[in-house]
Amino acid sequence: MSAVAGDAQDLARRATADPLFRLAAYALEAAHGRPPAAVWSAPHAFHLGPGLVAAAGWPVAAAAAPRTDGLVRLSSLSHPAHSCDLPLEPAGGGGSGLPDAVPDWAARPYRLLRALARAGYGTGGTDLHVQGSLTPAAGLATEEPADCAIALAVADVHGAYADGAHADEAREELARLIDAALPGGDRALRRAVLFARPGRALLLDPAGPARSVAFDPPASGARLVLMAVRGEPSEWAGELGRALECARRAGALSAWPPGERPGRSALVLLPQDRVPAVRAGVAADFRDRGRPVPRFLNIAVAGAARRAE
């Protein structure tokens, strides 16, 4: 079972802890007046090709403390003026509609918490703080890692998460619950968040178990970079195409979208010694045209969601 509640209570003041874990723990205390019983970190994830996904070393953290009064209190430093206190079961019963008091950012976590409670995870309520290391402007999907971090934290603090030899089975059950509660999400990315390994990609098979395959760019002298353009959504396709042309001319090996649909970003694989030239070439083209220079983000192929210890 999960670690005894209280292991995370000093996390906000633990100098050796991961800074994101410390921030999430401190923010939960500041917002809700109590320390977390657990903090979980879940990596952002990306597609490599059909049925092939991997995790990135940029996480989302969820800090949680259990309640017994059927209330959920939600907060995020990304939305500091929009914390909320909500009943797990709004007046009128357990329908799927959301109360008017739910801020836009909290609608998805609240929907997930209600679904988890109906399945027996966190029926007493939860104080929850969600903290990301990236914004949507970076170009990676932010919702799937948050979904998984929240589900793991809630199950953990309510004593419903089996670790150790049964961790994979527990994560599979949570994945099924998340998929059912939030059917519009990217199921493949959630599997990467929950089951990825460092330096490996996850090959998903609809007819059987997923298989881990090697994907470690530094081992072959390469670097994986996420490149995201700025500006209005109507400009993304053209500007991203222009940025990729510049990157290829400067030595990039390949590029592909990190999600199921094209957006503002692309993952670019390039030789390690061409990183400065690619960045300089793209930046020069955009500056010469008076356009904002794209964002560049180094991507390490990371492992799955984990609990702060």
Side-chain angles (χ1 to χ4, degrees):
M1 295 300 290
S2 63
V4 176
D7 286 355
Q9 289 190 354
D10 70 337
L11 191 58
R13 287 160 289 279
R14 196 185 306 162
T16 57
D18 182 287
L20 182 65
F21 286 157
R22 293 182 65 191
L23 179 60
Y26 176 81
L28 181 82
E29 290 188 48
H32 305 304
R34 54 198 302 238
V39 179
W40 278 80
S41 167
H44 288 76
F46 56 91
H47 287 264
L48 282 165
L52 191 64
V53 289
W58 295 93
V60 173
R67 302 183 65 86
T68 58
D69 58 1
L71 188 69
V72 293
R73 301 194 297 178
L74 307 176
S75 61
S76 170
L77 284 182
S78 298
H79 307 275
H82 296 98
S83 297
C84 54
D85 298 5
L86 301 163
L88 272 175
E89 292 300 337
S96 59
L98 298 178
D100 293 339
V102 181
D104 289 345
W105 81 268
R108 187 182 181 98
Y110 182 52
R111 199 183 301 277
L112 177 57
L113 288 169
R114 291 182 63 194
L116 291 169
R118 289 194 293 271
Y121 294 79
T123 56
T126 307
D127 287 341
L128 180 72
H129 182 84
V130 184
Q131 184 62 45
S133 56
L134 298 177
T135 69
L140 288 178
T142 58
E143 293 175 333
E144 284 75 15
D147 298 340
C148 295
I150 290 168
L152 287 161
V154 169
D156 189 358
V157 301
H158 286 278
Y161 177 75
D163 212 337
H166 301 288
D168 282 355
E169 292 89 340
R171 292 185 180 214
E172 283 287 2
E173 174 62 19
L174 287 177
R176 287 190 288 270
L177 288 171
I178 298 169
D179 291 343
L182 305 169
D186 189 320
R187 181 181 179 275
L189 290 187
R190 291 188 188 124
R191 266 55 187 185
V193 173
L194 292 169
F195 299 105
R197 292 168 54 191
R200 311 284 293 182
L202 199 64
L203 182 61
L204 304 174
D205 182 352
R211 183 163 56 91
S212 180
V213 297
F215 179 63
D216 187 7
S220 58
R223 173 80 65 84
L224 185 63
V225 174
L226 182 73
M227 184 168 59
V229 296
R230 307 169 193 251
E232 297 300 319
S234 61
E235 302 173 319
W236 290 352
E239 291 295 84
L240 184 58
R242 180 80 176 239
L244 291 175
E245 288 179 12
C246 295
R248 291 188 180 99
R249 286 199 300 268
L253 301 172
S254 59
W256 64 93
E260 291 182 312
R261 294 175 296 276
R264 72 189 309 159
S265 65
L267 286 158
V268 183
L269 189 67
L270 58 158
Q272 177 70 41
D273 61 2
R274 299 304 298 169
V275 173
V278 167
R279 295 183 65 133
V282 173
D285 177 85
F286 276 70
R287 288 196 189 102
D288 289 346
R289 295 186 294 118
R291 301 294 299 167
V293 174
R295 298 175 177 90
F296 291 86
L297 191 69
N298 291 331
I299 300 294
V301 181
R306 63 188 180 93
R307 188 187 201 273
E309 302 293 351

